[in-house]
Amino acid sequence: MTVTIFALKELMLATGLDAELVSRIDPARPLIQQGVDSVDYPGFILAFEEACGVKVSDADSLRLKTLDDFLNFAAART
Amino acid sequence: MTGNHLEGLNAVNSPCHTNLAACLLLPNVERHPDKIVYLCGDDGVSYRQLAEGVYRCAAWLREQGVGHGDRVVIALADSPVFVAAFLASNLIGAVPVPVSTALPNDAYQYIVGDSDARVVLIAQALADLPALATRPRMICGERLDEFLPHAASAPIAAAQAGGDDLAYMIYTSGSTGKPKGVPHRHADFLFSARTYADQVVGIVEGDRLFTASKMTFAYGLGCSLMFTMLAGASAILNPEASTPEQLLCLIEQHRPSVFFAVPTIYVQLIRSVSEARLELPMRFCGSAGERLPSFVLDAWRELTGLELVDGIGSTETNYVVISNRPGAVLPGSAGTPVPGCEIRLVDDSGQDVASGVSGQLLVRCASNARAYWQQPQVSAATMLADGFIRTGDLMREEGGFYFHLGRSDDMLKVGGQYISPVQLEDVLRDHPAVADCAVVGCLVGGLERPAAHLVLKAGFAASRALEKELRAHAAANLADYMRPMKYAFHDDLPRNPSGKVQRFKLKQ
């Protein structure tokens, strides 16, 4: 998968996140502040790992706060 | 002892047992009636005002015919009204049954029926649920001054409470998917207050407590109600959902000195902050309810400079029975035994294991529940004849510190709440594409979450679209925290010769 903000948002939709919530997400702001909750977040991390073929360590899972963080993380590893 | 009035509560161990509500309320009304005990929104409630609310509610309960031993279901958001309803039930010798306000109708139906509730006190949002309309009821708001405003508030004498009289009952998830009532006696929380709150974490009169856990859970009930009032302290109550934004806003507004939450909440708080540093007013933070990974503890300390004091307990033991101590936290460990709690780690034959070896956690302490509510067989398997409770947790002891390793049964612990895989599997099997399934725990970011392993019926193929459909099906039929994070598709599930699913293979 070519990792772009659009692709990450598509991934969020595939994990069942609400379409309106996803459309409003600002890539520079923490996802938690924008309505992505403790149930959605781990689901997105797992989908991200599978789609991008990367492993998110436990410590990294606390540092990946924004969509930009996910984008940069994937870019640095693929 | 740390200077609060807990000294006087040693009487609970004497033959002269005491009514819990009277222990919590009366000393405070006498010593500092105008001290604010609860901050809730813009509302501040004094001990005197709380007592008046308790007496008004107690009078109403008596009018409904509620008496000694009757169960009173309380499905209210955290607020002074919740506290008044709980204490009023206690005061007249009835048994409050606190229940979450976020359950589906069938769960309320089960709890109201199983507890045989005499009356229910419910939040406005639940007024239309049929299960909560089958008993005499009162629909309540959150402001104490609007709670039974015309009822008499004359003091009511506390009912006598003997050693075996029940004080409250909390429902916890059972392995079959049906919740189990865990009844506790009047002295149980007094024991937890004297030991954990006083001797371990040192809650004092000057403290202002705040927890993300609701009072329908033992963890929240202990912090917001029991420990607060037994220390003559004050607490912040939050009727809303404990989102990171809401929690940080209330912390900024009300400046608590102590904060308690499950690890999932700390993870959310860390992820919600963009800045490298977060200044908070607390002197320490407490954690329990699920295993606290050491990297979360490290990240919290790096972000806030605050220590996370982790511990472990259960609804059955009433509260935390193994805990770290403020100033002496061993990362990755649940700590050392709380005073008065006997801990054993045993193998499958019930023999004590050596230090460093994994064993099943058994706990014996004065606050242990004696039995589940009307479940003699499950009770006999959990509450052992020698007074120990089999918790179902696997732990290892090294150098006096205990380390949580997982569960000895199939139960999952997610965000501080138990989940029975059976309950999730029943929901998933209802989907037309699912032939068979098994739910196991998987670790995501160091925390346990449910993962669904599925075998599809002929004519269905694994696809992103089907996975999305299954996620929607789960979301529509399960509480949020129960929704599986991961969906894996298999041709068949691994089974042993007798046909039982080998869950350990799915966890690999």
Side-chain angles (χ1 to χ4, degrees), chain B residues 164 166 168-170 172 180-185 188 315-317 367-384 387-389:
Chain B
D164 289 327
L166 300 182
Y168 52 94
M169 179 158 71
I170 291 179
T172 182
K180 299 171 294 193
V182 184
H184 278 283
R185 294 149 293 159
D188 292 358
T315 308
E316 288 84 347
T317 62
S367 61
N368 274 6
R370 302 265 174 91
Y372 291 113
W373 180 253
Q374 296 181 332
Q375 300 224 26
Q377 284 184 321
V378 187
S379 299
T382 305
M383 289 84 173
L384 308 179
F388 277 90
I389 279 182

Side-chain angles (χ1 to χ4, degrees), chain B residues 314-337:
Chain B
S314 70
T315 308
E316 288 84 347
T317 62
N318 192 51
Y319 215 74
V320 172
V321 292
I322 296 174
S323 179
N324 281 283
R325 278 29 175 198
V329 169
L330 180 63
S333 159
T336 57

Side-chain angles (χ1 to χ4, degrees), chain B residues 203-288:
Chain B
I203 303 298
V204 294
E205 188 174 313
D207 273 324
R208 181 173 287 178
L209 287 77
F210 185 34
T211 176
S213 291
K214 300 301 181 189
M215 285 189 279
T216 50
F217 298 100
Y219 195 44
L221 189 67
C223 172
S224 295
L225 201 162
M226 307 295 172
F227 302 158
T228 295
M229 294 185 68
L230 283 165
S234 58
I236 301 156
L237 298 180
N238 173 27
E240 309 297 328
S242 293
T243 62
E245 188 180 19
Q246 176 81 350
L247 293 171
L248 291 174
C249 179
L250 288 170
I251 289 171
E252 174 67 25
Q253 183 183 356
H254 294 305
R255 317 284 297 167
S257 56
V258 180
F259 177 70
F260 293 95
V262 298
T264 291
I265 292 287
Y266 288 107
V267 166
Q268 279 188 283
L269 287 168
I270 293 165
R271 285 184 180 143
S272 75
V273 176
S274 308
E275 296 76 18
R277 186 78 182 170
L278 179 65
E279 296 297 335
L280 297 173
M282 290 84 85
R283 61 186 168 87
F284 80 90
C285 298
S287 160

Side-chain angles (χ1 to χ4, degrees), chain A residues 11 13-16 30-33 36-43 45-47 50-51 58-59 61-62 64-65, chain B residues 244-245 264 267-268 270-275 295-296 299 442 444-446 449 464 467-468 471 480-481 483 485-486:
Chain A
L11 207 51
L13 293 174
T15 61
L31 294 167
I32 292 278
Q33 287 182 10
V36 179
D37 63 21
S38 64
V39 180
D40 301 324
Y41 218 103
I45 287 177
L46 286 172
E50 187 184 329
D58 291 342
S61 76
L62 292 182
L64 298 177
K65 299 180 177 182
Chain B
E245 188 180 19
T264 291
V267 166
Q268 279 188 283
I270 293 165
R271 285 184 180 143
S272 75
V273 176
S274 308
E275 296 76 18
F295 72 90
V296 176
C442 68
V444 188
R449 296 289 181 262
R464 276 211 180 278
E467 182 179 325
K468 192 173 176 181
R471 284 183 188 276
D480 279 352
Y481 70 95
R483 283 156 40 195
M485 296 291 100
K486 178 178 171 182

Side-chain angles (χ1 to χ4, degrees), chain A residues 59-71:
Chain A
D60 284 334
S61 76
L62 292 182
R63 296 188 196 106
L64 298 177
K65 299 180 177 182
T66 68
L67 273 191
D68 282 342
D69 290 338
F70 279 92
L71 187 69

Side-chain angles (χ1 to χ4, degrees), chain B residues 444-464:
Chain B
V444 188
L447 299 173
E448 186 171 45
R449 296 289 181 262
H453 294 265
L454 304 153
V455 177
L456 298 176
K457 287 180 182 168
F460 291 92
S463 68
R464 276 211 180 278

